[in-house]
Amino acid sequence: MLTYIIRRLIGALAMLIVISMVTFGIFYIVPQWAGATPEALASRYVGRAATPETVHLVAQKLGFYDPVVVQYGRFVKGLVAGAEYDYGAGVEQCPAPCFGYSFISGQPVWPDLLDRLPVTFSLAIGAAIIWVLAGIGVGVLSALRRGSFFDRLSMGTALAGVSLPIFFTGMITLVIFSYGLGWTAPGGAYTAFLDNPAQWAYNLLLPWITLAFLFAAGYARLTRAGMLETMGEDYIRTARAKGLREREVIVKHGLRAALTPILTLFGIDFGLLIGGAVLTETTYTLPGLGQYAILAIRNQDLPQVMGVVLIAALFVVIASLVVDLLYAVVDPRVRLS
């Protein structure tokens, strides 16, 4: 088991290195291949009224004339040990992890990401709990009652959940439950969990349900398919022949074996949501990483966009690593291999 964990940790570290290379290439090398000069890159760090001599000087001090390997090494050093930015008038110290300074506000990107991360994490963790419990529960019941009215109704609802875009269901739920009935908070409201847990949950209830409706649909269909396949296996008949209770046969033997693909899907979905639930946060105007990314793209704020990309990739890798370790818990064959 220890060897398995070490292999997965090494694989996760290698993946992070590859992601850093790809991200650096997209934001720094590809523009140069497309014809962008070092002065064009440096012009984003100075005002529009800067003279060509000033832009050229900033490009030199930021290292845009250096070889690609040197620039990438400086980029990685900024992430793990901080960086120094010399703009001519003085040297700016950017502590690790340094994603640079915003073109618009001139402030470090990392504190902005930290401020918005709790909003995105709150949205993701609440919705994930709902969609996992609802999706797996409905999927198991549909598999056990195959062909019944409940099975047809639940799978039809799941199909609608997968098909309807999140911004459509989000606007419909806002109109009905918030503006019409007044049961939930309107969009844009967020309260920190430590300040008021009840208000925190009340403000996020509608985004949780809307987001969970989209994901629970896929989990219900996947669980149903996995349970139908698993419940027909020989070891299920053997478990029943041994006199085990039906609940134990379903949960311990049937559902446990069907959880492997669900874990894989959950790791990817949850990691992506932590990186920013763009459509949900935009629909409900929540100040999370998703809305932050949209504003950064609109403003063409390169450091902010790059920061969101790296944070999203980091959480996807972490979620995948956790899922790989959970495989050994859910499926003993992984430990034996």
Side-chain angles (χ1 to χ4, degrees), residues 24-98:
F24 175 80
I26 291 174
F27 287 101
Y28 288 96
I29 299 178
V30 173
Q32 297 183 39
W33 287 349
T37 63
E39 287 80 5
L41 297 175
S43 64
R44 302 177 181 180
Y45 290 85
V46 296
R48 293 184 177 180
T51 62
E53 293 77 12
T54 301
V55 175
H56 178 73
L57 181 62
V58 171
Q60 284 184 324
K61 294 186 175 182
L62 291 179
F64 290 144
Y65 289 103
D66 295 337
V68 173
V69 176
V70 176
Q71 294 186 47
Y72 175 71
R74 189 184 300 114
F75 170 73
V76 174
K77 178 179 178 293
L79 295 178
V80 299
E84 293 182 353
Y85 287 86
D86 189 346
Y87 296 104
V91 178
E92 290 282 350
Q93 296 288 340
C94 183
C98 180

Side-chain angles (χ1 to χ4, degrees), residues 282-295:
T282 303
T283 301
Y284 291 97
T285 59
L286 294 173
L289 290 178
Q291 189 184 66
Y292 183 79
I294 293 297
L295 295 176

Side-chain angles (χ1 to χ4, degrees), residues 111-319:
D112 288 343
L113 297 177
L114 284 181
D115 290 340
R116 293 174 178 266
L117 186 58
V119 180
T120 300
F121 186 79
S122 299
L123 175 63
I125 192 67
I129 293 174
I130 296 175
W131 90 55
V132 167
L133 294 179
I136 294 179
V138 171
V140 171
L141 292 177
S142 296
L144 297 178
R145 302 178 182 179
R146 181 180 181 181
S148 64
F149 173 77
F150 175 82
D151 181 28
R152 295 188 178 92
L153 178 62
S154 60
M155 289 302 102
T157 305
L159 180 60
V162 172
S163 303
L164 295 175
I166 191 69
F167 58 84
F168 174 78
T169 55
M171 295 302 297
I172 293 296
T173 54
L174 273 175
V175 170
I176 297 176
F177 298 105
S178 182
Y179 304 135
L181 300 176
W183 290 354
T184 59
Y190 176 77
T191 303
F193 176 80
L194 296 179
D195 294 340
N196 191 332
Q199 189 66 36
W200 169 81
Y202 175 74
N203 290 338
L204 291 174
L205 180 60
L206 197 58
W208 283 345
I209 295 175
T210 304
L211 192 58
F213 179 64
L214 172 66
F215 284 93
Y219 282 71
R221 295 172 64 88
L222 186 61
T223 303
R224 179 182 182 274
M227 286 293 294
L228 288 176
E229 180 180 357
T230 302
M231 296 304 290
E233 297 290 339
D234 292 338
Y235 66 87
I236 295 294
R237 289 191 290 268
T238 303
R240 285 171 172 162
K242 290 168 60 178
L244 295 180
R245 292 179 300 176
E246 186 66 16
R247 178 181 298 179
E248 187 174 358
V249 172
I250 294 172
V251 176
K252 186 176 180 180
H253 297 279
L255 180 59
R256 186 176 180 180
L259 281 180
T260 303
I262 297 174
L263 277 177
T264 304
L265 183 62
F266 178 78
I268 297 174
D269 290 340
F270 189 71
L272 290 175
L273 283 182
I274 293 296
V278 176
L279 293 178
T280 306
E281 291 178 5
T282 303
T283 301
Y284 291 97
T285 59
L286 294 173
L289 290 178
Q291 189 184 66
Y292 183 79
I294 293 297
L295 295 176
I297 293 172
R298 289 176 179 173
N299 296 327
Q300 298 183 1
D301 200 330
L302 174 62
Q304 290 185 347
V305 176
M306 185 174 63
V308 174
V309 170
L310 289 174
I311 287 294
L314 174 64
F315 281 115
V316 170
V317 171
I318 292 176

